[in-house]
Amino acid sequence: MKKLLLFILLLAGCVFGYSQSVTFKGSVQDPGGLPLEAATVYIRSAKDSTLIDYTITDNKGNWQMKSRGVSQPFLLKVSFVGFGNYEKRYEPVAKDTDFGVVKLTDKSTELKELVIQADIPPVRVKKDTLEFDATSFKVRPDSNVQTLLKQLPGVDIDASGKITVNGKQVTQILVNGKPFFDRDGKIALQSLPAELIKKIQVSDFKTKKEELQKKQADSDNASINLTIDKDKNKGVFGRITGGYGTNDRYEANGLINYFKNNRKISLLASSNNINASGFSNDDIFDSMGGGRNMMMWTNGSGTTYVNGVPVGGGGNGITVTNIAGVNYSDEYKKGFDHSASYFYNDTDTKNNTRSRNETFLTDANGAATGESQITNSASDSRSINTSHTANTEFDIKPDSTSTINFRPKFVRTDTSRATSNTQNTTDQLGNLLNESSGTTSNDALSTAFSSTLTYNKVLGKRGRAFSAEFSNNNNNTDSDYYNITNTSFYNTGTTDNRNQLQRSRSLRDNYNIDVSYTEPVTDSLNLEIGSVYKWSSNTDDQKGYNFNPVTGAYDNEADVITTYLNSTTVTTNPYASLRLDKKKYNITVKAGTGIYSFDNYGTYMGSDYKVDKNYVLPTANARFRYNFAKSKRLTLSYNFNTSFASAPQLLPISDLGNALSTTVGNPDLSPEKSHNISMYFNNYNFATRSGYSLYGGGTINETQIVNYTSLADNGKRTTTYENINGGYSSYFGGNYNKNVKSESGNNLRYTIGLTANYNRSLGYLNTRLYSANRFSLSPTVNVNYDLGEVLTINPSYTYNINDAQYTNYSVGQVSNFVHKASLIITNYWPKNFVMGNDFTYTYNSQLSAGYRRDFFLWNTSISYNFYKEQFLFKVKVYDILNQNLGNSRTISASGITDLQNTVLKRYAMFSLTWKINNFGNKKRGSQGGIPGRGGMPGGGRMRRMP
């Protein structure tokens, strides 16, 4: 630990070493002499057009670069959308230099001639889009798109795969404007080669309605569009891998892509038993990092999702995964685009779980006793999941003023789960209160269909539009649940033995219609009026049967586990919205009235129950955004949210289906009401290659629904529900990142981050109202140092502390902290060899006795490219020290839970990969341009000037 922290400090010291450099500066103006903000200024080698450095002008048109000097003749270039490019040659410079004022010209004054080696700037800042020229950023041969993204300024990808750009989380990744298997882009990032990409466009995430009406986005999330180079948009490429290792571990996967202009077909297949997704294009660690258990408060499993379906294993259990998929997109004719995908996923997970839960008690009068009940449990489970997912999207333009977007999706899932478990509850002195053992199994078939149909019509005047959107979500689940358990209550000497079948049908139907009309009041002020209609129905029909030893079948009806529940909500929400868009800021205020019809019906144990309620409640949200500069923004938002109780919470039914827990609904419950506020500020400085973001927000509960729990002396729980106010939750944090590059090619990137949460939870235990004030703080440091193309060193450290302070409760305070330090070293020498080592140390301070608190996880791999780099042989070892653990701790308002799951342990794997790269004019082993990128040196393109 001490050595790792010392190493981080040494790398941080490199920042100061890098800062000893010369300064280049100047300013950029338009043809009229006004300063130009967000113009791209960059330096290329005069010899081969290699990019040396670049920056962006500030809001006063000024720019500045820090460099160790340029020891060769170079070209100073300036670019801005709408104006002609500027270029001037300079001799080597080794001292501070002011290049003065550069005044750009109109494009119309440029010569109309064929220009060879026309230059594309590395970065362009457009109105609402940040555009990177992919060929300007150097990556190693065979790198994937994710590796390319990591080279871009302001882009950060954490260990879980979450991508942020200038502090904004990326929630959508498209390829040529269309999803590649799924809109989250995980497969595209990990499987597509970087050399395929021409441009990377980063913009604010927009809903389909905002996109069609060309509105500014209300979201604080980002969207990335990967544009494929037209010269490489033809051909076949992909990779096929097969591997086998110790302990019968294996992997086999392949991804083949066929691109021909607008037509794109991709085939994917994989099979493995190493908890892997199967489509990683990482030549070093594959998905070994995903098996790393976080040992944090919430278990980070690392599971990948495609179309909402989990692919591969996470941190819980050992998973055998088989997947196959196809993705297709084409433009049949102008104005009619189509994309579709099908995904098959089959997983088989085995897991052994051990847990300890301690619940703090109060007595019947609500006084603190200092006593607790401790429940220890162990289970052995197997879960098999098979799913088929098909979705498609149509973009249709019937005419120049109308657009239709239709996105249907179908999912079928078969699930089978069997569990054998034992459980006992004791008091704090170890006296046994109850004991239970048995087996349960569940077979379920679920089908779901959802779709969204959006229509937008421009009505002559700029800004005037009509929009209509229909969406539905229909889910039908049939399941058979078998319960064979024996429970003993020792203080009363009673038992509860069950051999039952519960046959269930669950229906979830939701329909939503949103119709709106937008009228421009002025050039910058728009009024939108509309109405939302929602119909939602949830039905649970459960029929129970006891086992009949005479017939050998489950044919004796069991009233105690037979229920019928239905909840239907009809919502009508007329609304009006005002939106003011100015150059520097925009404000949106939306308000309306929600008219709700809330009907609930149920039958249980021969009795009928009915609770119908009607409400008229306000709806409101507001957003303010101020743009200080192109990459400096503040956003404030407010939302008022309303939600209703579920049928089990509302209907006065005493559900006796669980021997250890009884629930009773409360018909007097009111809806939950909450006020949500948030703040987000980000600032990225291209001149210094540094940026930071700050964020915060919270929820104030005007009314919420909480559990009202009573614990009997024998450990049995009885829970009903109550309304309460005074609870709240909050979050805040920020991060700072910087990139420093030397003229010799060495590169240093580091990120410092901090996240924190403060929540006040309320509840009842044995009639006593208690509160739990919980605080968590998690600072993190991540450093990445590239020593040319030879060595990459990546240390990181995260500290997480959690503290819970209780009021009017049997304990006053509970706390916990976790250390996590990691070091990743990747060596790319000698040629064609790559060796990687990934070390992680985790320590949890307060796990209970019998749960190990710390462990090391060390993964390593070595690979060799041969036969013109078409083949890759690799040896990798996961968890060399055989110490990986699946331990975690969770603190809730009423107690502490320690959990241990089965995790993947040490194995060695030998694999061979065949790389297929046959697209455009690409030939394996071709030279020229930036290595691994192809094309003309410096990313040049041929184009005809106007």
Side-chain angles (χ1 to χ4, degrees):
M1 174 71 71
K2 292 181 179 179
K3 292 182 179 179
L4 178 60
L5 294 177
L6 177 61
F7 186 72
I8 294 175
L9 292 174
L10 290 174
L11 284 183
C14 293
V15 177
F16 299 100
Y18 272 74
S19 64
Q20 298 171 359
S21 56
V22 298
T23 300
F24 296 159
K25 64 180 181 179
S27 62
V28 180
Q29 297 178 357
D30 68 8
L34 297 176
L36 281 177
E37 179 188 0
T40 305
V41 182
Y42 54 110
I43 297 174
R44 290 196 186 275
S45 167
K47 181 180 179 180
D48 58 11
S49 292
T50 301
L51 181 67
I52 297 174
D53 209 346
Y54 69 93
T55 189
I56 300 292
T57 58
D58 61 21
N59 57 357
K60 296 181 180 179
N62 298 323
W63 62 271
Q64 181 175 292
M65 294 183 199
K66 288 188 179 293
S67 172
R68 287 183 175 272
V70 183
S71 59
Q72 55 183 309
F74 64 92
L75 301 173
L76 175 68
K77 300 191 175 188
V78 182
S79 175
F80 190 86
V81 177
F83 297 109
N85 293 340
Y86 170 88
E87 177 182 311
K88 186 174 182 180
R89 179 187 172 99
Y90 288 88
E91 296 305 311
V93 175
K95 62 180 181 179
D96 292 351
T97 304
D98 187 342
F99 290 90
V101 177
V102 171
K103 185 176 291 188
L104 299 184
T105 60
D106 291 322
K107 274 196 171 183
S108 59
T109 64
E110 293 184 345
L111 295 176
K112 296 182 179 180
E113 61 183 45
L114 183 65
V115 180
I116 306 297
Q117 187 72 9
D119 195 45
I120 299 175
V123 180
R124 286 181 185 267
V125 181
K126 297 183 178 180
K127 181 178 180 181
D128 58 357
T129 303
L130 188 62
E131 185 176 281
F132 299 95
D133 173 47
T135 61
S136 296
F137 297 90
K138 190 175 182 179
V139 293
R140 294 180 175 88
D142 297 316
S143 294
N144 58 17
V145 174
Q146 182 166 295
T147 303
L148 173 62
L149 288 182
K150 290 180 179 179
Q151 310 305 314
L152 305 183
V155 176
D156 180 69
I157 304 177
D158 67 14
S160 67
K162 185 179 75 173
I163 305 173
T164 56
V165 181
N166 298 335
K168 300 175 67 174
Q169 183 175 348
V170 176
T171 55
Q172 174 179 264
I173 297 176
L174 305 176
V175 177
N176 280 5
K178 300 182 184 300
F180 189 78
F181 283 99
D182 193 25
R183 287 181 173 267
D184 67 7
K186 287 184 180 294
I187 297 181
L189 294 184
Q190 297 183 29
S191 63
L192 294 182
E195 58 189 309
L196 195 70
I197 307 304
K198 177 182 179 182
K199 293 186 296 185
I200 301 169
Q201 299 165 321
V202 181
S203 59
D204 294 333
F205 173 78
K206 291 184 178 181
T207 64
K208 203 63 189 179
K209 181 177 177 179
E210 291 170 335
E211 183 182 316
L212 295 178
Q213 293 190 359
K214 295 181 172 54
K215 291 182 177 180
Q216 292 190 39
D218 280 336
S219 172
D220 283 323
N221 295 322
S223 174
I224 290 179
N225 182 46
L226 306 170
T227 302
I228 295 177
D229 192 330
K230 289 184 178 180
D231 295 336
K232 299 175 182 178
N233 203 15
K234 297 179 181 180
V236 178
F237 63 94
R239 55 200 290 129
I240 299 173
T241 298
Y244 188 78
T246 60
N247 302 323
D248 290 327
R249 299 296 173 202
Y250 67 88
E251 63 176 339
N253 59 76
L255 176 65
I256 303 297
N257 304 274
Y258 169 74
F259 285 6
K260 185 177 181 181
N261 299 323
N262 291 322
R263 179 174 299 169
K264 299 175 181 61
I265 303 174
S266 299
L267 301 174
L268 180 151
S270 173
S271 179
N272 70 83
N273 63 355
I274 55 174
N275 290 10
S277 62
F279 45 79
S280 171
N281 195 26
D282 184 347
D283 282 345
I284 306 166
F285 297 111
D286 291 325
S287 56
M288 289 194 296
R292 184 186 299 128
N293 272 42
M294 308 302 291
M295 248 176 101
M296 301 288 283
W297 293 69
T298 55
N299 203 17
S301 67
T303 302
T304 298
Y305 286 83
V306 176
N307 293 316
V309 177
V311 177
N316 301 336
I318 307 298
T319 300
V320 177
T321 301
N322 298 290
I323 62 176
V326 58
N327 188 80
Y328 173 84
S329 65
D330 200 358
E331 182 179 3
Y332 297 111
K333 62 179 181 179
K334 190 172 182 179
F336 188 85
D337 290 357
H338 174 234
S339 63
S341 69
Y342 165 78
F343 207 86
Y344 167 82
N345 179 37
D346 178 79
T347 60
D348 186 347
T349 302
K350 296 179 180 179
N351 188 27
N352 293 317
T353 301
R354 185 165 63 98
S355 67
R356 179 185 185 274
N357 174 264
E358 182 172 7
T359 302
F360 308 118
L361 301 181
T362 58
D363 62 24
N365 297 319
T369 65
E371 298 177 351
S372 62
Q373 288 185 357
I374 300 168
T375 299
N376 288 285
S377 63
S379 67
D380 185 1
S381 66
R382 182 180 183 183
S383 178
I384 300 174
N385 182 297
T386 302
S387 65
H388 304 264
T389 303
N391 60 14
T392 184
E393 180 172 354
F394 299 89
D395 280 308
I396 305 170
K397 289 185 67 67
D399 53 56
S400 60
T401 63
S402 302
T403 306
I404 300 173
N405 177 263
F406 181 46
R407 286 187 284 179
K409 177 179 179 180
F410 174 80
V411 180
R412 174 192 167 109
T413 304
D414 291 275
T415 302
S416 177
R417 180 179 177 86
T419 303
S420 61
N421 53 44
T422 60
Q423 175 180 309
N424 66 72
T425 300
T426 67
D427 61 21
Q428 76 281 357
L429 299 177
N431 298 314
L432 195 60
L433 303 178
N434 64 59
E435 194 171 30
S436 177
S437 64
T439 61
T440 60
S441 64
N442 187 57
D443 296 315
L445 171 63
S446 176
T447 57
F449 174 73
S450 62
S451 69
T452 301
L453 175 64
T454 305
Y455 172 76
N456 187 75
K457 174 75 172 179
V458 177
L459 301 173
K461 186 177 180 181
R462 182 179 180 183
R464 180 181 294 164
F466 170 79
S467 176
E469 184 172 275
F470 168 83
S471 63
N472 71 285
N473 194 328
N474 306 100
N475 188 295
N476 181 5
T477 302
D478 292 304
S479 65
D480 288 340
Y481 176 74
Y482 294 87
N483 179 19
I484 306 173
T485 56
N486 300 310
T487 304
S488 299
F489 299 95
Y490 289 99
N491 63 336
T492 61
T494 59
T495 60
D496 187 322
N497 300 323
R498 301 192 179 194
N499 187 354
Q500 298 173 323
L501 164 64
Q502 188 176 54
R503 187 156 285 159
S504 304
R505 165 161 285 194
S506 175
L507 303 174
R508 303 288 184 265
D509 296 300
N510 296 278
Y511 299 92
N512 181 62
I513 300 174
D514 185 352
V515 179
S516 66
Y517 170 80
T518 303
E519 176 67 25
V521 181
T522 66
D523 289 341
S524 57
L525 181 64
N526 288 318
L527 170 65
E528 180 182 8
I529 56 174
S531 184
V532 175
Y533 175 83
K534 296 180 181 180
W535 186 89
S536 174
S537 177
N538 297 328
T539 301
D540 291 295
D541 188 2
Q542 301 175 341
K543 295 181 180 179
Y545 304 90
N546 290 314
F547 181 75
N548 187 340
V550 176
T551 63
Y554 292 91
D555 54 16
N556 288 336
E557 293 189 9
D559 291 342
V560 74
I561 56 172
T562 298
T563 59
Y564 177 87
L565 300 173
N566 174 263
S567 178
T568 301
T569 306
V570 180
T571 304
T572 303
N573 177 209
Y575 64 86
S577 174
L578 278 174
R579 183 182 183 110
L580 179 64
D581 287 313
K582 292 293 187 179
K583 182 178 181 180
K584 284 289 187 181
Y585 64 89
N586 63 70
I587 303 172
T588 302
V589 178
K590 183 177 180 180
T593 301
I595 304 169
Y596 306 94
S597 174
F598 184 44
D599 299 335
N600 297 269
Y601 173 77
T603 63
Y604 185 66
M605 302 284 284
S607 299
D608 293 339
Y609 303 85
K610 188 175 180 63
V611 176
D612 296 340
K613 297 191 176 186
N614 296 303
Y615 300 98
V616 178
L617 299 171
T619 62
N621 61 69
R623 179 179 293 267
F624 170 76
R625 177 177 290 163
Y626 189 85
N627 300 305
F628 299 91
K630 291 287 186 179
S631 57
K632 186 177 181 181
R633 173 185 291 178
L634 171 68
T635 303
L636 303 173
S637 64
Y638 165 81
N639 288 283
F640 177 75
N641 288 335
T642 301
S643 61
F644 297 97
S646 63
Q649 291 176 322
L650 196 66
L651 294 171
I653 295 175
S654 295
D655 188 343
L656 308 175
N658 189 322
L660 295 173
S661 177
T662 298
T663 59
V664 184
N666 179 3
D668 296 324
L669 288 178
S670 298
E672 291 190 310
K673 303 174 187 176
S674 62
H675 304 268
N676 303 297
I677 56 175
S678 66
M679 180 278 297
Y680 177 82
F681 176 80
N682 77 291
N683 181 21
Y684 188 85
N685 189 326
F686 281 91
T688 62
R689 305 287 175 86
S690 64
Y692 65 91
S693 63
L694 302 171
Y695 56 86
T699 298
I700 301 173
N701 297 309
E702 181 179 320
T703 304
Q704 67 180 118
I705 299 171
V706 299
N707 291 352
Y708 191 101
T709 301
S710 299
L711 281 174
D713 291 339
N714 61 6
K716 185 172 182 177
R717 294 170 179 261
T718 300
T719 300
T720 185
Y721 309 92
E722 294 285 345
N723 284 121
I724 202 170
N725 55 37
Y728 57 84
S729 62
S730 63
Y731 65 91
F732 51 93
N735 63 73
Y736 174 82
N737 63 81
K738 187 174 177 62
N739 187 87
V740 185
K741 189 172 184 178
S742 70
E743 187 182 5
S744 61
N746 298 338
N747 193 69
L748 176 68
R749 300 190 302 275
Y750 63 90
T751 300
I752 302 172
L754 176 71
T755 59
N757 293 273
Y758 185 77
N759 306 321
R760 184 170 190 255
S761 302
L762 302 172
Y764 290 92
L765 184 62
N766 288 344
T767 73
R768 188 176 181 86
L769 175 64
Y770 65 85
S771 67
N773 296 326
R774 288 179 287 172
F775 173 74
S776 66
L777 182 69
S778 182
T780 182
V781 178
N782 186 76
V783 180
N784 197 96
Y785 179 69
D786 296 322
L787 182 61
E789 296 187 14
V790 177
L791 186 69
T792 297
I793 304 172
N794 176 208
S796 63
Y797 171 74
T798 300
Y799 175 75
N800 183 274
I801 184 170
N802 293 264
D803 182 82
Q805 302 284 340
Y806 293 92
T807 302
N808 205 23
Y809 205 61
S810 56
V811 294
Q813 185 259 349
V814 177
S815 64
N816 167 276
F817 64 85
V818 176
H819 293 285
K820 181 183 175 185
S822 67
L823 176 62
I824 300 174
I825 301 175
T826 310
N827 178 58
Y828 298 91
W829 183 89
K831 184 180 179 181
N832 293 329
F833 281 91
V834 179
M835 183 173 183
N837 284 282
D838 179 358
F839 306 88
T840 301
Y841 173 75
T842 307
Y843 175 82
N844 192 319
S845 69
Q846 291 295 329
L847 287 175
S848 303
Y851 293 82
R852 185 172 172 177
R853 295 184 178 183
D854 70 334
F855 72 99
F856 289 91
L857 182 64
W858 177 14
N859 304 323
T860 188
S861 79
I862 183 169
S863 61
Y864 174 65
N865 284 283
F866 63 99
Y867 193 69
K868 300 180 182 179
E869 300 185 8
Q870 286 184 316
F871 291 91
L872 174 75
F873 175 74
K874 182 193 299 183
V875 180
K876 62 184 178 183
V877 182
Y878 176 81
D879 188 18
I880 292 177
L881 302 178
N882 206 31
Q883 290 191 10
N884 194 21
L885 293 177
N887 296 349
S888 65
R889 164 165 284 206
T890 302
I891 294 180
S892 67
S894 59
I896 300 173
T897 300
D898 293 325
L899 181 67
Q900 178 177 291
N901 289 288
T902 299
V903 294
L904 195 63
K905 304 287 281 188
R906 179 171 57 196
Y907 70 86
M909 178 76 73
F910 303 83
S911 64
L912 181 66
T913 298
W914 176 30
K915 305 174 186 178
I916 306 168
N917 281 356
N918 182 21
F919 47 81
N921 297 320
K922 166 77 176 181
K923 293 182 179 179
R924 172 64 65 177
S926 64
Q927 303 296 320
I930 295 175
R933 303 293 298 151
M936 303 176 71
R941 297 286 189 275
M942 179 183 292
R943 64 187 177 97
R944 183 175 297 277
M945 301 298 292

